[in-house]
Amino acid sequence: MRVLQLLVISALSLWPLRAAACDLALVLAVDVSGSVDAKEYRIQMDGLAAGLRDGLVSEALVKARAQVLLVQWSGESRQEVTLPWVPVRSFADVEALARQIEQAPRPWRNYSTAVGEALFLALDQFSAVPDCKRRVIDISGDGFSNEGVEPREAHGALSALGVTVNAIAIEQSEPDLTAYFFENVIRGDGAFVVTASSFDDYPSRIRKKLVREVAKQTAALPPEADRRALALQ
């Protein structure tokens, strides 16, 4: 009996550590190439922040104990990590993240579109969050890749690390962009493209995208108490 009690106490002491595991590492990759004017940039950043604040999305991020990172990307050699990994453990964390995205300065304004370079930069960031079970790149864009490595060249490395790429195609000036993203950019089981016919549609479409890739996936996770029990098995 004494041995059993010691085993139970030992197991209980591990709950906080095991429950702290990250279920989702999410890279938000925003197009800031020359085809995106100042108003359209603002629509993207404000729309992304609003999408994160959505009740379904914010609850899912907290439940998943997510890590979220923001990339802004343009032409070759003009890709940056604007916000390094932000751990989301509470609704206050989601709000702080949304505010940082709203306030993030734009690094470039007049350069080309290097989708493949953006994917490789995003891919490199996952080494800092090795314990996250699901790895997702959420990339937005309003044009075809016209500089740097082709996005398809990243597919092998993405598959090797189990990274899923979902996209939002803003077809304001490129009506075939959804098909291009479907064939060349997205990757992984269940990967998808959401279409925004214009930048004005972006806020509602990015919310739909986040609900699909964050909330619906995280809904399959068991409640916290059950997850702790599963961690002991």
Side-chain angles (χ1 to χ4, degrees), residues 20-229:
C22 164
D23 287 297
L24 172 65
L26 176 65
V27 173
L28 303 170
V30 179
D31 182 357
V32 297
S33 58
S35 57
V36 179
D37 66 26
K39 178 183 176 182
E40 293 162 351
Y41 173 77
R42 192 72 269 145
I43 289 173
Q44 282 192 99
M45 303 305 279
D46 290 349
L48 184 55
L52 293 170
R53 289 187 176 109
D54 177 85
L56 289 174
V57 176
S58 59
E59 183 176 3
L61 289 172
V62 173
K63 183 178 180 181
R65 303 186 70 83
Q67 295 272 0
V68 182
L69 178 144
L70 175 67
V71 166
Q72 295 188 71
W73 63 274
S74 181
E76 186 177 10
S77 77
R78 293 181 173 86
Q79 326 278 328
E80 77 159 29
V81 175
T82 304
L83 294 177
W85 290 111
V86 175
V88 177
R89 302 293 180 264
S90 67
F91 293 110
D93 290 339
V94 178
E95 177 59 28
L97 172 63
R99 288 183 181 178
Q100 289 182 79
I101 290 173
E102 288 173 328
Q103 297 168 6
R106 180 176 183 169
W108 304 284
R109 296 178 184 273
N110 299 306
Y111 293 97
S112 300
T113 303
V115 181
E117 303 286 343
L119 292 177
F120 274 111
L121 176 67
L123 182 63
D124 287 344
Q125 308 314 308
F126 290 107
S127 61
V129 285
D131 294 333
C132 292
K133 297 177 184 177
R134 192 161 62 96
R135 303 169 180 182
V136 178
I137 298 172
D138 176 329
I139 188 167
S140 67
D142 76 333
F144 304 108
S145 190
N146 56 25
E147 191 171 84
V149 299
E150 290 297 319
R152 291 182 66 88
E153 293 182 36
H155 285 184
L158 290 163
S159 296
L161 289 180
V163 176
T164 298
V165 180
N166 301 319
I168 177 166
I170 306 167
E171 293 192 335
Q172 185 157 297
S173 57
E174 300 288 357
D176 297 324
L177 191 61
T178 296
Y180 173 81
F181 276 18
F182 185 84
E183 293 294 333
N184 297 278
V185 178
I186 66 170
R187 194 68 174 168
D189 292 339
F192 63 92
V193 183
V194 167
T195 304
S197 60
S198 69
F199 276 92
D200 289 338
D201 290 336
Y202 178 90
S204 64
R205 304 307 286 173
I206 192 63
R207 176 196 172 276
K208 177 179 179 179
K209 185 171 186 289
L210 288 167
V211 167
R212 182 172 174 180
E213 70 191 353
V214 177
K216 290 186 177 180
Q217 291 286 338
T218 307
L221 293 173
E224 184 69 20
D226 292 344
R227 292 166 69 192
R228 289 180 175 180

